[in-house]
Amino acid sequence: MTDTMLAGRLDVRNKTFAVEEVPVPEPGPGEVRIKVKAAGVCLSDVHLIDGSLNPLFLASDKVTLGHEVSGVIDALGPDVPGGWAAGQRVLLQAGERCGRCANCVRFVDPCQQVRTRGVDYDGGWAEYALAAQHTLVAIPDDLPFEQAAIIPDAVSTPWAAIVVTGRARPAVPVGVWGVGGLGAHAVQLLRLVGAAPIIAVDPIEAARERARDFGADLALDPAAPDLRDRLLAATGGRGLDLALDMAGVPAVREQAVSCLAPGGRLVLVGLTPAPLTLTHSIPFSYFGQQILGHYGSGPGHVDQLVDLTRHRRLDLTRSISGTVPLADAAAAVGRLERKEGNPVRLILTP
């Protein structure tokens, strides 16, 4: 094994990204080193590079990107509990609550502050990555690394937004605005929990077609003048119990609120630094509607999704839009930023 490796590094001072040679990391107490097999390219990575998102807790000027990671255990540091061994197939949780750092101990209940992999500390756009042992999740032999890698964000984030923040229930109408990496999985997962009808909204025809393939009952163009009328007709005049903004676009939020039923909820999943505004607030208050923020997923959600793939309830084969060598990570970022080929998820392979 060589002493150096390739890693996709972001300099947060000047927002420059490059694949560089860096030292291979050594696992410390309670850590394991992973030989990375697959790492997802997320729109959040694009936003980190363009500066619209910024790390909150990064302790240095550079960070290796990548919060969707799978691979095999390569080496164990001291004090790693039994049950983990070299060669095991694993995915890495997208973040961690250490309970010891200054950011965690500010809170009355430690470990409530999540540090995100590939944002606040080095991630998996690399040949090797370090992970605290409690962030490992074992994956079955028949789950491809490419599919396993995207579970910790592209799949678990909409899952948590649906079952926890959004409180989706069977036979209630749900709308999904934005059918990209998060939204496509939201449609699929809403189908799994029995929401009906599922209405997808996206300006790209190929994305609307994908939404129908993933299980949407109706797919609409947000620019259509009759969008609200068609949505109300599909829900028997009621409107949506739940709307999911997967795009992080201010105009989406205004439109989604206008489609809510009395007591309906809009969950903000897509991230944007733009202000949150509500033009018509009196009906919003009168009908007891809600806007809820959402970020990531909680304890157990990734394990649930791995089990759902194990038992053939969740099929992620359509989610992988292509693989790109790690050395060409910048090209993959550009493809996603331009929506070239309308990808769900591109995967970097070291």
Side-chain angles (χ1 to χ4, degrees), residues 41-322:
V41 182
C42 175
L43 199 58
S44 295
D45 299 309
V46 175
H47 292 328
L48 284 164
I49 294 171
D50 69 23
S52 55
L53 291 179
N54 292 285
L56 291 177
F57 309 122
L58 182 63
S60 63
D61 294 327
K62 285 189 174 185
V63 65
T64 299
L65 297 181
H67 54 275
E68 297 180 341
V69 190
S70 67
V72 297
I73 295 177
D74 177 69
L76 287 76
D79 304 322
V80 173
W84 298 113
Q88 279 184 279
R89 305 173 85 252
V90 295
L91 60 77
L92 310 184
Q93 298 273 10
E96 65 177 36
R97 297 173 173 88
C98 72
R100 300 184 304 273
C101 70
N103 296 305
C104 284
V105 298
R106 285 190 212 157
F107 294 80
V108 175
D109 182 10
C111 290
Q112 293 305 301
Q113 184 60 53
V114 177
R115 299 189 310 141
T116 303
R117 186 183 310 281
V119 179
D120 300 310
Y121 61 100
D122 285 342
W125 286 13
E127 294 179 81
Y128 295 88
L130 292 184
Q133 59 83 21
H134 66 272
T135 66
L136 302 179
V137 176
I139 58 175
D141 291 342
D142 59 353
L143 178 59
F145 287 113
E146 294 82 2
Q147 295 175 34
I150 69 172
I151 290 176
D153 181 23
V155 189
S156 68
T157 292
W159 178 245
I162 288 165
V163 300
V164 178
T165 308
R167 307 188 304 279
R169 302 185 308 278
V172 297
V174 180
V176 178
W177 269 258
V179 195
L182 294 176
H185 293 113
V187 169
Q188 189 176 13
L189 294 165
L190 285 164
R191 192 90 181 186
L192 188 63
V193 301
I198 301 166
I199 300 170
V201 183
D202 199 289
I204 301 173
E205 172 56 36
R208 296 195 294 273
E209 182 61 34
R210 177 169 64 211
R212 288 185 281 265
D213 290 343
F214 274 61
D217 298 290
L218 181 65
L220 301 174
D221 185 338
D226 62 345
L227 178 143
R228 188 171 182 273
D229 291 340
R230 293 182 64 187
L231 187 147
L232 289 174
T235 60
R238 173 178 172 77
L240 301 171
D241 279 43
L242 172 63
L244 299 165
D245 169 20
M246 297 296 183
V249 176
V252 159
R253 297 168 174 186
E254 291 274 6
Q255 187 175 65
V257 166
S258 74
C259 296
L260 291 179
R265 302 171 301 285
L266 167 62
V267 176
L268 309 181
V269 185
L271 300 177
T272 175
L276 175 61
T277 60
L278 191 61
T279 302
H280 303 294
S281 60
I282 292 176
F284 183 83
S285 297
Y286 180 81
F287 289 116
Q289 296 162 338
Q290 296 178 305
I291 298 177
L292 303 167
H294 180 84
Y295 184 80
S297 59
H301 288 136
V302 169
D303 303 80
Q304 290 172 357
L305 292 162
V306 170
D307 281 343
L308 287 169
T309 64
R310 188 194 319 272
H311 295 296
R312 305 294 189 269
R313 297 299 191 272
L314 179 61
D315 180 7
L316 300 177
T317 57
R318 296 170 296 178
S319 300
I320 309 306
S321 304

